[in-house]
């Protein structure tokens, strides 16, 4: 079953912050975040494993709460290059992710 | 390394025809995935291979779809017969191990008319 992402779309100005949420109805062992620019392949951002960890990647970080079966992606001081569609993938014991429908992020100058 | 290589990049075919999509994973990667992307469903996992063996094909839509991985450097996804609803972008991805980032190819845009 696909995880649910919210919001479906976000429009920002450069320098603003954004949060993308991902929730699942199933028990999770890992959460995978990818970004896809228009017409390109998805590109890996990070994996978070069971244990409630947080990770950071420049100004993009994420948290994973396996008890709530949720993950959030935080984009701080957004840049034009952050524009794209963000996918979360949630996985059970196989660690093979099932992806949500994505959140479209548009950053304007 | 050249990354994951998919061919063709674009395919237009008539309904009822057989379509074969090809993928060359990154050398040394032992996990390979086929995904289908549409506006309606997003990114769906079709099948997953580990060490050339199909592990999970529960995402394959129906018997018209089949996938093979005859060796570590090549995989195919075949649709026979194709239907207009199969129109989508098909991605192949590989990973050095199961719990790791997946590297995606550039995709094959399939249009069935």
């Amino acid at each position: 079953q696909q995880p649910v992402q919210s919001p479906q779309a976000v429009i920002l100005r450069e320098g603003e912050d954004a949060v993308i949420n991902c929730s699942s109805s199933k028990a999770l062992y890992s959460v995978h975040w990818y970004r896809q620019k228009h017409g390109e392949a998805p590109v890996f951002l990070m994996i978070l494993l069971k244990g409630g960890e947080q990770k950071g990647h420049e100004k993009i970080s994420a948290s994973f709460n396996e008890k709530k079966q949720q993950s959030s992606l935080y984009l701080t001081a957004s840049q034009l290059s952050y524009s794209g569609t963000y996918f979360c993938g949630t996985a059970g014991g196989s660690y093979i992710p099932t992806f949500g429908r994505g959140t479209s992020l548009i950053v304007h100058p | 390394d050249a990354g994951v290589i998919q061919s063709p990049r674009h395919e237009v075919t008539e309904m009822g025809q057989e379509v074969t999509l090809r993928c060359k994973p990154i050398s040394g990667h032992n996990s390979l995935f086929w995904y289908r992307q549409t506006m309606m469903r997003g990114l769906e996992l079709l099948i997953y291979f580990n060490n050339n063996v199909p592990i999970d094909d529960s995402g394959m839509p129906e018997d018209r779809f089949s996938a093979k991985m005859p060796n570590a450097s090549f995989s195919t996804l075949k649709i026979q017969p194709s239907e207009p609803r199969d129109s989508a972008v098909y991605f192949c991805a590989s990973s050095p191990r199961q719990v790791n980032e997946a590297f995606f190819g550039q995709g094959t845009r399939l249009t069935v008319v």
Side-chain angles (χ1 to χ4, degrees):
Chain A
Q1 193 165 0
Q2 284 183 308
V4 176
Q5 289 185 233
S6 63
Q8 287 188 313
V10 184
I11 300 175
L12 300 172
R13 292 209 176 273
E14 252 185 312
E16 293 182 338
D17 301 341
V19 180
I20 298 172
N21 299 303
C22 174
S23 64
S24 174
S25 58
K26 294 164 62 171
L28 301 179
Y29 282 65
S30 62
V31 178
H32 309 229
W33 286 97
Y34 286 75
R35 176 172 62 204
Q36 182 180 31
K37 293 187 180 287
H38 183 68
E40 299 181 7
V43 173
F44 173 81
L45 292 176
M46 64 189 81
I47 291 175
L48 299 100
L49 301 178
K50 190 174 170 180
E53 64 173 334
Q54 277 193 275
K55 274 195 175 180
H57 183 270
E58 296 180 345
K59 293 180 181 176
I60 300 175
S61 62
S63 62
F64 173 29
N65 186 328
E66 76 261 27
K67 287 183 181 176
K68 292 186 177 179
Q69 295 162 196
Q70 293 175 345
S71 178
S72 294
L73 186 73
Y74 307 94
L75 298 103
T76 306
S78 57
Q79 305 168 13
L80 295 177
S81 62
Y82 286 3
S83 292
T85 301
Y86 289 78
F87 290 95
C88 80
T90 54
S94 71
Y95 294 95
I96 304 303
T98 298
F99 289 98
R101 294 178 61 177
T103 295
S104 175
L105 181 80
I106 299 172
V107 181
H108 287 297
Chain B
D1 201 319
V4 176
I5 299 172
Q6 290 186 246
S7 64
R9 290 292 309 276
H10 301 272
E11 176 81 36
V12 180
T13 190
E14 289 186 349
M15 185 172 65
Q17 296 298 306
E18 176 180 298
V19 175
T20 299
L21 311 182
R22 296 172 176 80
C23 174
K24 177 179 167 54
I26 294 173
S27 177
H29 284 193
N30 59 14
S31 294
L32 183 138
F33 310 86
W34 281 100
Y35 289 93
R36 177 172 69 177
Q37 185 172 34
T38 60
M39 290 294 292
M40 289 297 293
R41 293 198 178 93
L43 201 57
E44 300 174 274
L45 177 66
L46 300 177
I47 188 168
Y48 154 57
F49 291 87
N50 191 47
N51 292 324
N52 314 338
V53 176
I55 302 299
D56 183 357
D57 65 355
S58 59
M60 296 285 263
E62 46 198 276
D63 291 345
R64 297 185 297 107
F65 285 69
S66 62
K68 294 183 179 179
M69 192 165 185
N71 57 62
S73 59
F74 184 64
S75 176
T76 59
L77 179 69
K78 186 179 292 186
I79 309 172
Q80 165 65 14
S82 57
E83 297 182 3
R85 61 192 167 118
D86 301 330
S87 297
V89 179
Y90 290 80
F91 286 103
C92 173
S94 70
S95 179
R97 56 183 181 275
Q98 193 164 324
V99 187
N100 208 324
E101 70 176 283
F103 294 81
F104 282 75
Q106 289 303 301
T108 295
R109 181 173 294 278
L110 173 66
T111 304
V112 183
V113 297

